[in-house]
Amino acid sequence: MTYGVGLLLRDGMVLLSDTRTNAGIDHISSYRKMFHFAVAGERVISILTAGSLSVSQATIARLQEAIEDPDATPETSILLAPSMLKVAEIVGATLWSVREAMDRRLHTNGSFGQASMIVAGQRLGGVMRMFLVYPEGNFIEATEDTPFIQIGEHKYGKPILDRIVRPETSLSDGQKAVLLSMDSTLRSNLSVGMPLDLAIIERDACRVTHERRIEAGDDDFRAMSEAWSSVLRDGFKKITLLS
């Protein structure tokens, strides 16, 4: 399993994903689940994946293949698409096509693969947009009312996002929010694990403006986690019982 989260803020977008794909007594695997596609100064597209690794890897590979195709068109390449809405449509159609093909091969043994994705980005002259693409290829969009999207093991990290994240939240506070959301998930679910991939896309930059891999044992992340735990314990002690 995995946990990925994206914030759509007025100043930009904040993206965070773990890298664990399998967790067991004697087998843990890590794979990148955040991918960036860009034409410098013209557009940037980031995709986070969760679910079946075979489905998500094949989908990303097909999207990359379409980009490199000399006969690519705005209908097939996310780097030629006229809008972020069209990008989401291309990603959704590709995801469904991959999943459908794999399901036909796997159904005989009762196995089925599915994946979901966060698609976020901006093209020159357009606004920032962020979509949640479902395994069936359909999608919904982040809005001012709900300016964040989660995929994978989202339940543990959702409460802090519900309480903190608003469109006017700063990028620095957005980073804190997603990292603490991830920290809560790491503590509660062993199928989510380090290292983490963090990316920031500032509004109108049309590029990834900050990217960082956070390894296990990272001093800054550990200090943030410990400080958050301390604040929660202190706050808990100050709350009085209902009379």
Side-chain angles (χ1 to χ4, degrees), residues 126-137:
V127 298
M128 299 179 300
R129 301 181 77 173
M130 183 178 294
F131 302 88
L132 167 59
V133 181
Y134 292 107
E136 296 76 19

Side-chain angles (χ1 to χ4, degrees), residues 188-208:
S188 299
N189 194 309
L190 290 176
S191 70
V192 178
M194 308 286 277
L196 311 176
D197 287 319
L198 173 69
I200 310 297
I201 301 173
E202 294 179 9
R203 185 182 64 190
D204 297 331
C206 290
R207 64 183 178 88
V208 177

Side-chain angles (χ1 to χ4, degrees), residues 160 175-188 194 196 214-215 217-234:
I160 186 173
Q175 290 181 66
K176 285 192 291 184
V178 297
L179 288 168
L180 293 176
S181 176
M182 179 65 75
D183 179 64
S184 297
T185 306
L186 290 169
R187 286 174 174 268
S188 299
M194 308 286 277
L196 311 176
I214 303 170
E215 300 285 352
D218 182 270
D219 290 338
D220 293 335
F221 185 73
R222 184 176 64 249
M224 179 180 290
S225 175
E226 292 173 353
W228 180 239
S229 295
S230 177
V231 167
L232 288 176
R233 285 193 296 268
D234 290 344

Side-chain angles (χ1 to χ4, degrees), residues 20 23 33 39 49 65 74 90 113 131 137 153 164 174 183 188 195 211:
R20 181 167 294 179
K33 303 173 190 175
V39 176
T49 68
E65 189 176 65
I90 293 172
F131 302 88
E153 286 291 347
I164 298 297
D183 179 64
S188 299
E211 191 171 9

Side-chain angles (χ1 to χ4, degrees), residues 129-149:
R129 301 181 77 173
M130 183 178 294
F131 302 88
L132 167 59
V133 181
Y134 292 107
E136 296 76 19
N138 58 320
F139 53 85
I140 61 172
E141 185 171 4
T143 67
E144 291 244 333
D145 293 326
T146 308
F148 63 86
I149 290 175

